[in-house]
């Protein structure tokens, strides 16, 4: 039996006019959802998610937890279809839940987007989830350092979210609950404003989870409050843990593929007073990067495009070679004809001009030339040659 002490706080922040973050502390399910997309959409998407997971109550495995998150995703997609004004809405989700099952209890964690779950132990603060964001992908690619990512102007771009597509990839873990461990679930409005060292200090020094959550939100506001801020803190106060516990607490991992960035979609700008704030600082959550099955990346797409261009150029060159040139020859029926092109790879010459000139009537030298074929680089010159064959001087040329 695992039991929890918990507390939460949320705030609109100092710049945005609405709070699109939602949280849930329905022991033993704890959720943070950061909605995005338009004036109303973000709020709806995060609210649907929290409602869907509240109904989840106790799940029996991380696969079941993933299933609940996917159901929440379906609900958002369906709602957006019913109400066009909500099109483009999406939300992150980060959930911690007790997994009631046969054998020792476990914690289940599921994550989509750039909200985070941290774990504070004696060893310090550890970010457990991996952000599904553009900057995280760039860091993973080695194109950006951690420090650069933390201040990157596009650090608000999310590469995975609920509500974007019928299918969603969910990262999930099963963990051993350990008494004394403290979990923090938060939206990016927290860690984009204050440093992780400061977050760790508060989590270590303020024992009451509710007070610690309020302290963190207040500090994020003091640091700028440029986005909605949501903090849920969950302490493990009882657990039937036996045997050695690994440092990372993890007993099972269901990680989806790394994000590929397929399409950047800027949703409709908010038509309210937020527009004023947006001038100084773009809305922190207004951009969603859509990833359909994340196997195709821009890099791959660019490579494919480059290869296609090279192939097309080669084809054009081949066509040019294959179709160029005119040859005057003796046709099968013994007359003279002009062929265009030459035998080259899959090209065969085609008859361009047929004549009634019988080769047999021509002088010996012309017959020999025609047997081999007389080549010209233009049709005009080939025609001129024909005129000469026909001409009154043809006979005398031999
Ligand atoms: Mn946010």
């Amino acid at each position: 039996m695992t039991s929890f002490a918990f507390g939460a706080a949320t705030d609109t922040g100092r710049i945005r006019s609405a709070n699109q973050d939602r949280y849930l502390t329905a022991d033993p399910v704890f959720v943070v959802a950061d909605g995005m997309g338009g004036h109303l959409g973000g709020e709806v998407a995060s609210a649907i998610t929290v409602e869907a997971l509240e109904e989840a109550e106790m799940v029996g495995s991380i696969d079941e937890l993933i299933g609940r998150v996917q159901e929440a995703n379906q609900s958002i997609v369906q709602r957006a279809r019913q109400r066009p004004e909500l099109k483009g809405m999406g939300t992150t989700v980060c959930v911690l839940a007790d997994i009631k099952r046969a054998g020792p209890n476990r914690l289940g964690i599921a994550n989509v987007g750039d909200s985070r779950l941290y774990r504070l132990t004696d060893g310090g603060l550890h970010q457990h989830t991996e952000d599904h964001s553009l900057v995280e992908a760039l860091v993973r690619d080695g194109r950006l350092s951690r420090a650069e990512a933390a201040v990157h102007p596009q650090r608000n771009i999310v590469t995975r979210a609920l509500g974007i597509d019928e299918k969603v990839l969910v990262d999930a873990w099963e963990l051993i609950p350990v008494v004394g461990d403290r979990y923090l679930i938060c939206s990016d409005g927290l860690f984009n404003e204050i440093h992780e060292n400061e977050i760790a200090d508060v989590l270590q020094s303020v024992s009451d989870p509710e007070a610690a959550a309020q302290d963190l939100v207040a500090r994020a506001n003091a640091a700028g409050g440029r986005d909605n801020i949501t903090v849920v803190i969950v302490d493990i106060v009882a657990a039937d843990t036996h045997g050695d516990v690994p440092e990372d607490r993890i007993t099972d991992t269901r990680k989806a593929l790394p994000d590929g960035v397929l399409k950047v979609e800027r949703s409709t700008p908010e038509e309210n007073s937020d527009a004023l704030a947006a001038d100084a600082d773009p809305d922190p959550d207004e951009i969603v990067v859509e990833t359909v099955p994340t196997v195709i990346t821009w890099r791959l797409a660019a490579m494919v495009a480059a290869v296609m261009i090279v192939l097309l150029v080669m084809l054009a060159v081949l066509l040019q070679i294959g179709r160029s040139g005119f040859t005057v020859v003796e046709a099968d029926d013994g007359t003279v004809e002009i062929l265009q092109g030459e035998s080259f790879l899959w090209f065969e010459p085609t008859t361009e001009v047929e004549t009634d000139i019988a080769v047999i009537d021509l002088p010996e030298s012309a017959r020999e030339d025609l047997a081999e074929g007389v080549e010209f680089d233009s049709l005009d010159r080939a025609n001129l040659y024909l005129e000469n064959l026909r001409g009154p001087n043809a006979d005398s040329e031999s």
Side-chain angles (χ1 to χ4, degrees), residues 68-111:
R68 302 291 182 162
V69 171
Q70 287 169 334
E71 282 168 24
N73 177 62
Q74 291 283 339
S75 303
I76 300 167
V77 170
Q78 280 163 18
R79 186 78 63 88
R81 281 209 192 106
Q82 291 158 1
R83 294 178 56 187
E85 74 272 21
L86 298 176
K87 194 173 177 291
M89 68 173 168
T91 183
T92 74
V93 65
C94 192
V95 52
L96 170 73
D98 193 9
I99 297 178
K100 307 283 184 193
R101 55 168 212 174
N105 279 5
R106 290 284 184 263
L107 300 175
I109 291 169
N111 182 59

Side-chain angles (χ1 to χ4, degrees), residues 8-12 18-25 30-36 39-51 53 91-94 115 185-187 228-232:
T10 188
D11 195 80
T12 306
N19 191 351
Q20 301 190 323
D21 286 1
R22 289 290 181 277
Y23 72 85
L24 176 72
T25 51
F30 306 92
V31 182
V32 167
D34 178 349
M36 60 198 84
H39 176 44
L40 194 63
E43 283 170 62
V44 174
S46 56
I48 290 172
T49 301
V50 162
E51 281 163 27
L53 290 167
T91 183
T92 74
V93 65
C94 192
S115 294
I185 319 172
C186 61
S187 60
N228 307 147
I229 312 146
T230 300
V231 172
V232 170

Side-chain angles (χ1 to χ4, degrees), residues 34 188 227 285:
D34 178 349
D188 61 341
D227 191 7
D285 298 317

Side-chain angles (χ1 to χ4, degrees), residues 336-350:
V336 178
E337 66 178 358
I338 301 176
L339 299 179
Q340 185 185 6
E342 40 197 302
S343 288
F344 178 70
L345 297 179
W346 63 90
F347 298 108
E348 283 301 328
T350 53

